[in-house]
Amino acid sequence: AQSVSQHNHHVILSEAASLELGCNYSYGGTVNLFWYVQYPGQHLQLLLKYFSGDPLVKGIKGFEAEFIKSKFSFNLRKPSVQWSDTAEYFCAVNAGDSNYQLIWGAGTKLIIKP
Amino acid sequence: ETGVTQTPRHLVMGMTNKKSLKCEQHLGHNAMYWYKQSAKKPLELMFVYNFKEQTENNSVPSRFSPECPNSSHLFLHLHTLQPEDSALYLCASSQDGTGLNEQFFGPGTRLTVL
C-alpha cells in the first residue's frame, strides 16, 4: 500500500528562522503532490501543489516545495517564518494506483515562538 | 454561507444511538468526500461521491452509512458505533472526483462515542 511519511510530528522554531518540513512517499510512478495547512481554528486549505514542470513550486504566504523524484521527496520550505505560520502542515500524494485519491501524511505541528 | 459547512460541530453519542452528520457545499462542486481524522494519524478517506455516485468506499465498517442526495449535500449516518470511532470527521468537496483538484474542507464534526 502507498504511504506518505512526514518525519516530524512537532517542530518549534523562533521567528525569522528557516523552515524545512520533510515529506516522503512510497510510490515509484507518476505522482501529484500537495501541501495543505490548517491554521488554529480554521479549515484545512491548500498551500501548494505540484503536477509537472519546474520541480520547485511556489505557494501562498512565501512557502515553496521542491520535488526530488530520486528521493521520493516533496519537502516544504520557507526562508523566514513568522508567528502567523503556526499551524499543522499536511503532505498528500495522488498516485496512479490509489484510484487517484489523496494519500495523506500524519501532519507536522509547527509552533513559532514570537 | 460560503464554502463547506458541517453540522453539528460536536456530537457525543452512546454506542446504541443513531445519529447523522451533515455536510453542505456552496461551491458548485461535483465531488464530495468524508474523511476521518484521528490524532497523530493520517487523514483516512472513507467515502467519495462523484456526481452523486459513490466511487470509493475504503473498507469502512457498515456502521457508517453515507448518503448523497445531490451534489451539494452529503450525510454520514451513524449507528452502533464503537469508542474507537471517536475522531474528527471532515467533509470536503472538489470540482470532480479525480483527486487532482484542490479539495475544500469543512470545519469538521468532533465525535465522541461513549
Side-chain angles (χ1 to χ4, degrees):
Chain A
Q2 305 308 319
S3 65
V4 176
S5 174
Q6 292 184 241
H7 312 301
N8 305 99
H9 288 299
H10 291 89
V11 172
I12 301 175
L13 295 173
S14 297
E15 276 194 313
S18 65
L19 169 72
E20 182 160 3
L21 300 181
C23 173
N24 286 90
Y25 59 92
S26 63
Y27 182 66
T30 300
V31 292
N32 301 297
L33 302 155
F34 303 79
W35 276 98
Y36 278 79
V37 61
Q38 188 169 28
Y39 297 102
Q42 296 189 28
H43 308 182
L44 264 170
Q45 58 185 283
L46 182 67
L47 195 55
L48 51 76
K49 62 184 179 183
Y50 171 79
F51 285 0
S52 63
D54 188 344
L56 185 62
V57 181
K58 295 194 184 297
I60 60 172
K61 303 186 180 184
F63 285 90
E64 63 181 30
E66 185 175 13
F67 170 50
I68 302 180
K69 188 174 181 179
S70 61
K71 295 186 178 180
F72 301 92
S73 71
F74 189 55
N75 291 355
L76 182 71
R77 300 195 295 242
K78 185 171 184 178
S80 176
V81 294
Q82 301 171 305
W83 177 78
S84 58
D85 294 323
T86 294
E88 190 161 14
Y89 293 81
F90 295 88
C91 180
V93 176
N94 169 302
D97 66 351
S98 66
N99 291 328
Y100 295 101
Q101 295 309 324
L102 291 181
I103 302 166
W104 295 78
T108 298
K109 285 188 177 175
L110 174 66
I111 297 173
I112 305 300
K113 298 184 295 184
Chain B
E1 289 278 12
T2 59
V4 180
T5 58
Q6 291 186 243
T7 55
R9 295 293 306 276
H10 300 271
L11 179 62
V12 179
M13 59 187 290
M15 293 168 61
T16 58
N17 291 158
K18 289 185 180 181
K19 296 286 183 183
S20 295
L21 309 185
K22 179 183 176 183
C23 175
E24 185 173 0
Q25 58 97 359
H26 308 267
L27 300 167
H29 289 162
N30 296 303
M32 296 186 77
Y33 309 77
W34 279 117
Y35 285 95
K36 177 182 179 182
Q37 186 178 27
S38 304
K40 298 184 181 179
K41 289 186 176 181
L43 265 71
E44 299 174 46
L45 179 64
M46 301 175 71
F47 301 104
V48 181
Y49 278 82
N50 198 20
F51 293 92
K52 299 189 297 176
E53 297 295 321
Q54 188 180 120
T55 57
E56 285 289 324
N57 176 344
N58 280 353
S59 303
V60 180
S62 60
R63 57 186 184 269
F64 295 91
S65 174
E67 179 189 359
C68 187
N70 54 61
S71 293
S72 299
H73 293 86
L74 185 64
F75 295 89
L76 187 63
H77 303 300
L78 316 172
H79 65 98
T80 60
L81 294 192
Q82 305 298 310
E84 60 264 29
D85 296 323
S86 298
L88 183 69
Y89 287 84
L90 293 172
C91 176
S93 72
S94 65
Q95 190 58 49
D96 60 36
T98 62
L100 298 176
N101 294 298
E102 178 179 357
Q103 294 185 17
F104 291 80
F105 286 82
T109 295
R110 175 70 62 187
L111 174 67
T112 303
V113 181
L114 302 177

